[in-house]
Amino acid sequence: MTEAYATIVFLFVLFTLLGSSIWIGLALMGVAWVGMEMFTSRPAGDAMITTIWTGASSWTLTALPLFIWMGEILYRTRLSQDMFRGLAPWMRWLPGGLLHTNIAGCTIFAAVSGSSAATLTTVGKMSIPELRKRGYPEYMIVGTLAGAATLGLMIPPSLTLIVYGVSINESIIKLFMAGIIPGLVLAGLFMSYIVGWHFLRPHERPEPEPSMSIGEMLAESRFLIPVLLLVFAVIGSMYFGWATATEAAAVGVLGSLTLALFQRSLTLDAFFESLMGATRTSAMIALILMGAAFLSLSMGFTGLPRALAAWIDEMQLSPVVLIAALTVFYIILGMFLDGISSVVLTMAIVEPMIRQAGIDVIWFGIFIVVVVEMAQVTPPIGFNLFVLQGMTRHEIGYISKTAIPMVGLMLLMVVILVAFPGLATWLPENIRQ
């Protein structure tokens, strides 16, 4: 009864604070404070100060602002435009044509950004005008871009995986490596959707692109080389054990600054804008993590996570049934909270449950990223929907409809992960130490 009473109090205070439009980080701290005062004898102030400092001073967390800054630099310079220019010649011959640049562009930019919103904005501002000019259907342009941008959450460096790793004290590099193969599989599913559209709706195809010689295609591809080198430098340095996640992030920042300087596209204004953009995003995520750390401590004192884990254990649910239930839970939660908030808010409860069920925490990290990706394109709080609304001037309802097939493909990705868990665990198990 004590645990049930504590749950009711926690949920009531949480929804009251979130409903009052208070910042999520402060809302989490408020819930934790109430829990400490009502259910423990430990001074809440001392506990909060100690926990917040411990969570905020984590060395692992230093990778977060660096990866965010790297994405900001690329977003504000000409590197992103060159990436699209180098991709287009190789996409035009595929069934579905240049629509594939949405998927391929998001996949490559995700490997140097880590942010879904940055990926969407960068690729969208390049591809939307070009695809419209060539006569591609609007619903395909918007829908494929909405879905593909979510790859920024999975393909390393992923901000969501960093937050998840810090929350459960797991290796960031292993989580990064775990996201590579599932990210590419999901990109393949998105591309297969475009191929299906190409053959099922031939009347909607635009005029074929003018032919290009191999020499011309190779000449255009030179614009893609700088970004690919940066991707290999960041991911390769982690895989081969040459750098930790934080060191790889520093390599990425230096690499993106160097490339932008060589291109002469890094102005003083762009430099300071990228720095301030990274600072704002990092501060927001850090505040959420501080609140989550304090909430985890508070819930630990009430015994709620342990009681819930024991209850799940008594129910004798199979791992597959538990994953199915958590999929529904996170989809519903994602309708009201952004991805990072969903992760940190639930880890104190969910982590004991999955460990009790014998589910691999690395695999679960990739699963949770897929279901959080759905939250980016489902109303009413789908962040990617709002970004696309600002870029295309369409209604949220229209954008949501165009993204429905992509949500279906993400659900299919969950099924694939359950059926083939090695997709997420093989690379981390074979990483060079």
Side-chain angles (χ1 to χ4, degrees):
M1 287 303 293
T2 305
E3 284 83 6
Y5 175 57
T7 303
I8 293 169
V9 170
F10 275 128
L11 291 176
F12 175 76
V13 176
L14 176 64
F15 285 117
T16 301
L17 291 176
L18 290 177
S20 64
S21 298
I22 194 171
W23 291 347
I24 291 174
L26 296 180
L28 298 179
M29 289 183 193
V31 176
W33 183 282
V34 170
M36 292 293 289
E37 290 289 351
M38 292 187 65
F39 301 108
T40 75
S41 57
R42 182 174 177 180
D46 290 346
M48 182 174 71
I49 292 168
T50 305
T51 308
I52 285 177
W53 171 251
T54 303
S57 60
S58 164
W59 171 248
T60 308
L61 202 55
T62 54
L64 191 67
L66 290 171
F67 278 128
I68 295 171
W69 191 18
M70 180 173 69
E72 288 279 344
I73 293 166
L74 292 169
Y75 166 55
R76 298 175 193 281
T77 60
R78 213 178 66 235
L79 284 166
S80 52
Q81 297 169 352
D82 284 354
M83 180 185 71
F84 182 84
R85 185 175 172 182
L87 271 177
W90 300 99
M91 299 292 111
R92 65 179 67 221
W93 59 271
L94 293 173
L98 289 181
L99 279 173
H100 290 287
T101 55
N102 273 349
I103 314 299
C106 288
T107 303
I108 294 174
F109 195 81
V112 286
S113 167
S115 164
S116 173
T119 301
L120 173 60
T121 308
T122 305
V123 177
K125 73 176 183 178
M126 299 177 298
S127 68
I128 290 174
E130 292 294 327
L131 294 173
R132 280 176 172 170
K133 188 167 65 177
R134 287 167 169 81
Y136 285 91
E138 187 73 9
Y139 75 93
M140 286 298 293
I141 298 173
V142 176
T144 55
L145 190 57
T150 61
L151 292 167
L153 297 179
M154 180 182 290
I155 295 176
S158 162
L159 305 187
T160 307
L161 285 177
I162 293 175
V163 170
Y164 173 78
V166 170
S167 300
I168 67 165
N169 197 27
E170 188 53 71
S171 166
I172 303 297
I173 291 182
K174 286 187 175 182
L175 287 166
F176 277 0
M177 293 302 113
I180 294 175
I181 297 176
L184 294 176
V185 171
L186 186 55
L189 291 176
F190 291 156
M191 294 181 85
S192 67
Y193 167 63
I194 295 174
V195 172
W197 163 81
H198 176 84
F199 289 113
L200 293 174
R201 293 178 176 261
H203 60 282
E204 292 181 356
R205 299 177 198 167
E207 290 296 318
E209 292 290 314
S211 60
M212 291 179 71
S213 67
I214 293 294
E216 289 173 322
M217 293 170 70
L218 291 172
E220 289 291 296
S221 298
R222 74 185 188 278
F223 294 102
L224 196 58
I225 294 173
V227 178
L228 290 179
L229 288 175
L230 189 61
V231 170
F232 290 133
V234 172
I235 298 178
S237 62
M238 289 187 288
Y239 178 77
F240 291 108
W242 299 335
T244 64
T246 304
E247 291 163 352
V251 168
V253 169
L254 291 174
S256 55
L257 284 172
T258 304
L259 291 174
L261 282 170
F262 273 113
Q263 275 192 332
R264 297 179 182 175
S265 61
L266 183 66
T267 63
L268 202 57
D269 285 344
F271 177 80
F272 282 114
E273 284 174 11
S274 70
L275 203 53
M276 290 308 298
T279 302
R280 283 191 291 268
T281 306
S282 302
M284 175 195 73
I285 295 173
L287 183 63
I288 292 173
L289 284 172
M290 291 175 193
F294 188 30
L295 181 60
S296 297
L297 178 74
S298 176
M299 289 183 126
F301 273 111
T302 65
L304 186 58
R306 289 189 299 275
L308 188 58
W311 177 61
I312 295 293
D313 187 45
E314 288 171 7
M315 291 175 67
Q316 298 294 310
L317 290 178
S318 69
V320 173
V321 174
L322 179 59
I323 288 298
L326 287 174
T327 301
V328 175
F329 168 69
Y330 275 110
I331 289 173
I332 295 171
L333 190 65
M335 291 180 181
F336 306 98
L337 291 175
D338 67 277
I340 289 175
S341 301
S342 300
V343 172
V344 296
L345 183 63
T346 56
M347 270 307 106
I349 296 289
V350 172
E351 184 189 357
M353 290 165 50
I354 61 170
R355 290 189 187 275
Q356 188 75 29
I359 297 171
D360 186 285
V361 290
I362 298 288
W363 179 92
F364 187 77
I366 304 307
F367 157 78
I368 207 171
V369 165
V370 176
V371 291
V372 160
E373 282 178 348
M374 294 182 214
Q376 299 290 310
V377 288
T378 50
I381 316 290
F383 190 65
N384 283 11
L385 302 180
F386 292 115
V387 176
L388 271 172
Q389 184 184 36
M391 294 172 68
T392 63
R393 305 300 177 192
H394 290 303
E395 293 294 325
I396 287 288
Y398 174 81
I399 299 172
S400 301
K401 287 177 185 176
T402 66
I404 288 173
M406 313 307 274
V407 174
L409 291 173
M410 292 179 208
L411 284 170
L412 176 60
M413 186 66 212
V414 171
V415 175
I416 292 172
L417 277 174
V418 172
F420 305 100
L423 288 174
T425 57
W426 180 81
L427 208 52
E429 288 170 357
N430 290 276
I431 191 172
R432 302 290 178 88
Q433 295 300 325

